[in-house]
Short mmCIF file of all heavy atoms in Angstrom, two decimals:
data_model
loop_
_atom_site.label_atom_id
_atom_site.label_comp_id
_atom_site.label_asym_id
_atom_site.label_seq_id
_atom_site.Cartn_x
_atom_site.Cartn_y
_atom_site.Cartn_z
N ALA A 54 31.87 43.24 140.37
CA ALA A 54 31.82 43.73 139.07
C ALA A 54 30.63 44.76 138.87
O ALA A 54 30.78 45.80 138.20
CB ALA A 54 31.59 42.58 138.09
N LEU A 55 29.54 44.46 139.54
CA LEU A 55 28.41 45.36 139.49
C LEU A 55 28.77 46.68 140.16
O LEU A 55 28.39 47.74 139.61
CB LEU A 55 27.20 44.72 140.16
CG LEU A 55 25.90 45.51 140.09
CD1 LEU A 55 25.46 45.77 138.67
CD2 LEU A 55 24.77 44.77 140.83
N THR A 56 29.47 46.67 141.22
CA THR A 56 29.89 47.89 141.94
C THR A 56 30.84 48.75 141.04
O THR A 56 30.61 49.93 140.92
CB THR A 56 30.58 47.52 143.26
OG1 THR A 56 29.65 46.80 144.03
CG2 THR A 56 31.02 48.77 143.91
N ARG A 57 31.77 48.02 140.38
CA ARG A 57 32.69 48.81 139.46
C ARG A 57 31.91 49.41 138.34
O ARG A 57 32.14 50.58 137.96
CB ARG A 57 33.76 47.85 138.97
CG ARG A 57 34.85 47.56 139.98
CD ARG A 57 36.05 46.84 139.32
NE ARG A 57 35.76 45.68 138.52
CZ ARG A 57 35.68 44.46 139.00
NH1 ARG A 57 35.98 44.27 140.27
NH2 ARG A 57 35.37 43.48 138.25
N ARG A 58 30.95 48.70 137.73
CA ARG A 58 30.20 49.24 136.60
C ARG A 58 29.38 50.47 137.07
O ARG A 58 29.24 51.43 136.39
CB ARG A 58 29.33 48.13 136.07
CG ARG A 58 30.21 47.15 135.16
CD ARG A 58 29.40 45.98 134.75
NE ARG A 58 28.15 46.33 133.97
CZ ARG A 58 27.34 45.35 133.62
NH1 ARG A 58 27.49 44.11 133.85
NH2 ARG A 58 26.25 45.76 132.96
N HIS A 59 28.76 50.34 138.31
CA HIS A 59 27.95 51.36 138.79
C HIS A 59 28.86 52.59 139.04
O HIS A 59 28.41 53.74 138.73
CB HIS A 59 27.26 50.94 140.19
CG HIS A 59 26.50 52.00 140.73
ND1 HIS A 59 27.00 52.90 141.67
CD2 HIS A 59 25.16 52.37 140.55
CE1 HIS A 59 26.02 53.75 142.07
NE2 HIS A 59 24.93 53.42 141.37
N GLU A 60 29.98 52.45 139.56
CA GLU A 60 30.89 53.57 139.89
C GLU A 60 31.34 54.27 138.57
O GLU A 60 31.36 55.44 138.49
CB GLU A 60 32.12 53.07 140.68
CG GLU A 60 31.74 52.81 142.12
CD GLU A 60 32.96 52.07 142.89
OE1 GLU A 60 33.94 51.78 142.23
OE2 GLU A 60 32.78 51.91 144.09
N ALA A 61 31.60 53.41 137.54
CA ALA A 61 31.99 53.98 136.21
C ALA A 61 30.81 54.71 135.59
O ALA A 61 31.04 55.81 135.06
CB ALA A 61 32.46 52.82 135.29
N LEU A 62 29.67 54.20 135.76
CA LEU A 62 28.47 54.85 135.19
C LEU A 62 28.24 56.16 135.96
O LEU A 62 27.96 57.18 135.27
CB LEU A 62 27.25 53.96 135.31
CG LEU A 62 25.96 54.60 134.79
CD1 LEU A 62 26.06 54.97 133.35
CD2 LEU A 62 24.77 53.61 135.02
N SER A 63 28.40 56.20 137.25
CA SER A 63 28.17 57.41 138.05
C SER A 63 29.21 58.44 137.63
O SER A 63 28.79 59.62 137.43
CB SER A 63 28.33 57.14 139.50
OG SER A 63 27.26 56.25 139.95
N GLU A 64 30.43 58.05 137.47
CA GLU A 64 31.45 59.01 137.08
C GLU A 64 31.19 59.59 135.68
O GLU A 64 31.30 60.75 135.41
CB GLU A 64 32.82 58.26 137.12
CG GLU A 64 33.98 59.22 136.69
CD GLU A 64 35.33 58.59 136.83
OE1 GLU A 64 35.43 57.53 137.46
OE2 GLU A 64 36.30 59.12 136.17
N SER A 65 30.78 58.69 134.75
CA SER A 65 30.47 59.12 133.42
C SER A 65 29.32 60.08 133.43
O SER A 65 29.32 61.12 132.72
CB SER A 65 30.11 57.92 132.57
OG SER A 65 29.68 58.23 131.31
N MET A 66 28.27 59.84 134.25
CA MET A 66 27.21 60.76 134.34
C MET A 66 27.57 62.15 134.91
O MET A 66 27.08 63.13 134.45
CB MET A 66 26.05 60.16 135.16
CG MET A 66 25.33 58.96 134.48
SD MET A 66 24.68 59.43 132.83
CE MET A 66 23.41 60.62 133.36
N GLU A 67 28.44 62.10 135.89
CA GLU A 67 28.92 63.36 136.46
C GLU A 67 29.69 64.16 135.46
O GLU A 67 29.50 65.43 135.30
CB GLU A 67 29.86 63.10 137.65
CG GLU A 67 29.12 62.69 138.88
CD GLU A 67 30.02 62.38 140.08
OE1 GLU A 67 31.18 62.95 140.14
OE2 GLU A 67 29.67 61.50 140.92
N LEU A 68 30.56 63.51 134.65
CA LEU A 68 31.21 64.25 133.59
C LEU A 68 30.36 64.77 132.55
O LEU A 68 30.52 65.89 132.08
CB LEU A 68 32.33 63.33 132.94
CG LEU A 68 33.49 62.90 133.91
CD1 LEU A 68 34.37 61.79 133.17
CD2 LEU A 68 34.29 64.12 134.26
N ALA A 69 29.32 63.95 132.18
CA ALA A 69 28.40 64.38 131.14
C ALA A 69 27.59 65.53 131.66
O ALA A 69 27.31 66.55 130.92
CB ALA A 69 27.44 63.22 130.76
N THR A 70 27.16 65.50 132.97
CA THR A 70 26.40 66.64 133.48
C THR A 70 27.24 67.93 133.56
O THR A 70 26.76 68.99 133.14
CB THR A 70 25.92 66.28 134.93
OG1 THR A 70 25.10 65.13 134.83
CG2 THR A 70 25.15 67.40 135.61
N HIS A 71 28.50 67.80 133.97
CA HIS A 71 29.38 68.98 133.94
C HIS A 71 29.58 69.53 132.56
O HIS A 71 29.46 70.72 132.36
CB HIS A 71 30.74 68.58 134.55
CG HIS A 71 31.74 69.71 134.54
ND1 HIS A 71 31.68 70.76 135.40
CD2 HIS A 71 32.74 69.90 133.70
CE1 HIS A 71 32.66 71.61 135.09
NE2 HIS A 71 33.35 71.11 134.12
N ASP A 72 29.74 68.63 131.56
CA ASP A 72 29.88 69.07 130.16
C ASP A 72 28.62 69.76 129.74
O ASP A 72 28.73 70.89 129.09
CB ASP A 72 30.23 67.92 129.29
CG ASP A 72 30.43 68.29 127.79
OD1 ASP A 72 31.22 69.22 127.60
OD2 ASP A 72 29.78 67.77 127.00
N TRP A 73 27.43 69.17 130.01
CA TRP A 73 26.19 69.73 129.62
C TRP A 73 25.97 71.14 130.21
O TRP A 73 25.57 72.07 129.57
CB TRP A 73 25.11 68.86 129.95
CG TRP A 73 23.77 69.34 129.43
CD1 TRP A 73 23.22 69.02 128.21
CD2 TRP A 73 22.76 70.16 130.05
NE1 TRP A 73 22.01 69.61 127.99
CE2 TRP A 73 21.70 70.33 129.13
CE3 TRP A 73 22.77 70.81 131.20
CZ2 TRP A 73 20.65 71.15 129.43
CZ3 TRP A 73 21.69 71.68 131.54
CH2 TRP A 73 20.62 71.80 130.62
N ASN A 74 26.31 71.20 131.50
CA ASN A 74 26.13 72.51 132.23
C ASN A 74 27.06 73.57 131.69
O ASN A 74 26.68 74.74 131.52
CB ASN A 74 26.36 72.37 133.72
CG ASN A 74 25.28 71.66 134.47
OD1 ASN A 74 24.14 71.66 133.95
ND2 ASN A 74 25.60 71.06 135.55
N SER A 75 28.31 73.21 131.28
CA SER A 75 29.23 74.12 130.68
C SER A 75 28.65 74.64 129.35
O SER A 75 28.79 75.83 129.03
CB SER A 75 30.66 73.48 130.50
OG SER A 75 31.23 73.17 131.72
N ARG A 76 28.16 73.71 128.59
CA ARG A 76 27.68 74.10 127.24
C ARG A 76 26.43 74.94 127.41
O ARG A 76 26.25 75.93 126.67
CB ARG A 76 27.33 72.87 126.41
CG ARG A 76 28.60 72.09 125.98
CD ARG A 76 28.20 70.81 125.24
NE ARG A 76 29.34 70.06 124.93
CZ ARG A 76 29.61 69.58 123.71
NH1 ARG A 76 28.77 69.86 122.77
NH2 ARG A 76 30.72 68.87 123.53
N PHE A 77 25.54 74.65 128.37
CA PHE A 77 24.36 75.42 128.55
C PHE A 77 24.70 76.84 129.01
O PHE A 77 24.14 77.77 128.54
CB PHE A 77 23.47 74.75 129.62
CG PHE A 77 22.18 75.47 129.88
CD1 PHE A 77 21.14 75.36 129.00
CD2 PHE A 77 22.07 76.30 131.03
CE1 PHE A 77 19.92 76.08 129.16
CE2 PHE A 77 20.83 77.02 131.17
CZ PHE A 77 19.84 76.88 130.33
N ASP A 78 25.74 77.02 129.97
CA ASP A 78 26.16 78.27 130.33
C ASP A 78 26.65 79.11 129.20
O ASP A 78 26.35 80.30 129.06
CB ASP A 78 27.20 78.18 131.46
CG ASP A 78 26.63 77.65 132.77
OD1 ASP A 78 25.32 77.63 132.99
OD2 ASP A 78 27.46 77.19 133.61
N ARG A 79 27.42 78.48 128.31
CA ARG A 79 28.00 79.15 127.18
C ARG A 79 26.88 79.54 126.22
O ARG A 79 26.85 80.71 125.74
CB ARG A 79 28.97 78.24 126.44
CG ARG A 79 29.57 78.84 125.22
CD ARG A 79 30.49 80.03 125.52
NE ARG A 79 31.06 80.55 124.27
CZ ARG A 79 31.16 81.78 123.94
NH1 ARG A 79 30.83 82.69 124.84
NH2 ARG A 79 31.61 82.16 122.80
N LEU A 80 25.88 78.72 125.97
CA LEU A 80 24.77 79.06 125.14
C LEU A 80 23.95 80.16 125.71
O LEU A 80 23.50 81.06 125.05
CB LEU A 80 23.95 77.76 124.90
CG LEU A 80 22.69 78.02 124.08
CD1 LEU A 80 23.07 78.39 122.64
CD2 LEU A 80 21.86 76.67 123.96
N LEU A 81 23.71 80.18 127.05
CA LEU A 81 23.02 81.19 127.68
C LEU A 81 23.71 82.57 127.57
O LEU A 81 23.07 83.59 127.18
CB LEU A 81 22.79 80.81 129.15
CG LEU A 81 21.96 81.85 129.94
CD1 LEU A 81 20.53 82.02 129.39
CD2 LEU A 81 21.89 81.38 131.42
N ALA A 82 24.97 82.50 127.72
CA ALA A 82 25.81 83.81 127.52
C ALA A 82 25.61 84.29 126.08
O ALA A 82 25.54 85.55 125.91
CB ALA A 82 27.30 83.55 127.89
N LEU A 83 25.73 83.40 125.10
CA LEU A 83 25.56 83.88 123.71
C LEU A 83 24.15 84.35 123.45
O LEU A 83 24.04 85.39 122.80
CB LEU A 83 25.82 82.67 122.82
CG LEU A 83 27.24 82.18 122.74
CD1 LEU A 83 27.33 80.91 121.96
CD2 LEU A 83 28.14 83.28 122.07
#
Side-chain angles (χ1 to χ4, degrees):
L55 182 59
T56 300
R57 281 194 307 270
R58 287 172 52 187
H59 179 269
E60 289 170 352
L62 179 60
S63 294
E64 183 179 339
S65 176
M66 290 302 298
E67 285 179 29
L68 291 173
T70 299
H71 176 72
D72 182 54
W73 188 88
N74 286 337
S75 296
R76 289 173 186 236
F77 182 79
D78 290 344
R79 177 71 179 134
L80 180 60
L81 183 59
L83 291 171

